[in-house]
Amino acid sequence: MKRIALFLIAILTLISCNNSKKDNNVKPEPIVFEFGYRLNDYIVVRDTIQDGDTFGSILSKQNIGDKQIFDIVEKVKDTFDVRIVRIEKPYMMLLSKDKSKKLKAFIYQPDRLSYYIIDFKDSIVARKKIKPVTIRRRTIAGQLNGSLSETLEKEKVEGALATKVSKIYAWSIDFFKLQKGDKFVITFTERFINDSIYDGVDSLEAAFFEYKGKMIYAFPFVQNQQSNKIEYFDEEGKALKNFFLKAPLKFVNITSRYAKNRFHPVQMIWKAHKGTDYAAPHGSPIMTTANGVVEQTGYSAGNGNFVKVKHDRTYSTQYLHMSKILVKRGQRVTQGQTIGKVGSTGLATGPHVCYRFWKNGLQVDALKLKLPNSSPMNPAYKSRFMAQMLPLKRELDSVAAIKYKKTIQRK
């Protein structure tokens, strides 16, 4: 019996040791903080606002009566207007871990950056908070392989940067004429919420693009610091923004140019073509290329739906074959404003806009015309611009020299 007793004691000791080892191997629950709360201390309920949900209906599901809900709404209304609650926006509730599962906090997120806290722990308190945003600076250098947006996507940059860049260069670069292999360097900043959640492109600091063998730089600069208006200039301080846009469409494909004698595809005769045809999908927005006043709108058998804009005493432009006219005669329009939609009305074989240009009353070829720039930089600001621009240009050139040297070596 004594031997049996000793054997049983040995077995129990071994089991106890193994259990002790298992307990030692159990990893402690990680401590999680969010919105200023230690989530480990609560039952966490995450959800989104559904159709028919209100702040009151959500609270009522937590055994909070109508009278108490009314008092809560009154107490928090100066900070949190319950009417701002929108469908599909996320919210979180923190409940106590005891049997009562009492609501301790309600957090509503109207957007990625801000959130509201309704704290029920002691007295009911409402607070609006803004998540900290970190700005990170980044420089990328590359060569075009497809469209600008496709090339930037391969560099893991969101599409908003391509849109921003194309707007800045709209007066000096036709992005459809950029060639595969054309080089670029862009320095820009990006936003990160809580130093971890990507929130998009913030601003462009400097850039250059190779276009027709020439490097075209762009540097943002605020001339009058009281107005805080950002304009873009090249390395010599010349404005990138011209009096006229390069084309009436954001993305263009020239199918027919200005010509004194061209075979008309519909009329089947040789005649002058006093405009530039830009093909685009039906319904694409047509932009006025400069500020002005709508001089004429209407329809004719040849031109289809058209708009003519007078820009000043010297220049006028006309836009033909629209599917829809969006402006009226006498209306003032601004550069880049949508004045109609691409169509194929009148004598047209497919959807496009025929862009016509007048100078001093005579129709001319817009593509060959040297058009005026916008107002030049005030000389009083030139030295400040140069001091700000030169370090950025040196950085662009340095990054380009390293990047493109490596590219050549790979070849």
Side-chain angles (χ1 to χ4, degrees), residues 16 19 44 52 94 111 148 156 162 200 220 253 298 317 330 334-335 348 356 373 391 397:
S16 176
N19 287 337
V44 179
L94 304 181
D111 52 59
L148 176 61
K156 297 182 179 179
N253 179 25
T317 56
T334 57
Q335 186 180 64
R356 293 183 176 178
N373 285 357
D397 294 342

Side-chain angles (χ1 to χ4, degrees), residues 117-166:
I117 294 175
I118 315 298
D119 194 299
F120 297 90
K121 287 201 301 293
D122 298 318
S123 59
I124 297 167
V125 178
R127 298 186 294 272
K128 181 179 181 180
K129 297 283 188 178
I130 304 296
K131 296 177 183 178
V133 175
T134 304
I135 303 296
R136 296 180 191 170
R137 191 169 181 273
R138 185 177 169 196
T139 298
I140 60 172
Q143 292 178 287
L144 285 179
N145 184 14
S147 68
L148 176 61
S149 58
E150 289 171 337
T151 303
L152 292 179
E153 187 178 337
K154 291 172 184 175
E155 296 284 343
K156 297 182 179 179
V157 181
E158 71 161 357
L161 181 61
T163 302
K164 189 183 289 286
V165 167
S166 63

Side-chain angles (χ1 to χ4, degrees), residues 48-65:
T48 56
I49 304 296
Q50 304 298 314
D51 189 17
D53 281 350
T54 64
F55 178 67
S57 68
I58 293 169
L59 293 193
S60 66
K61 294 175 183 176
Q62 302 302 317
N63 298 317
I64 299 176

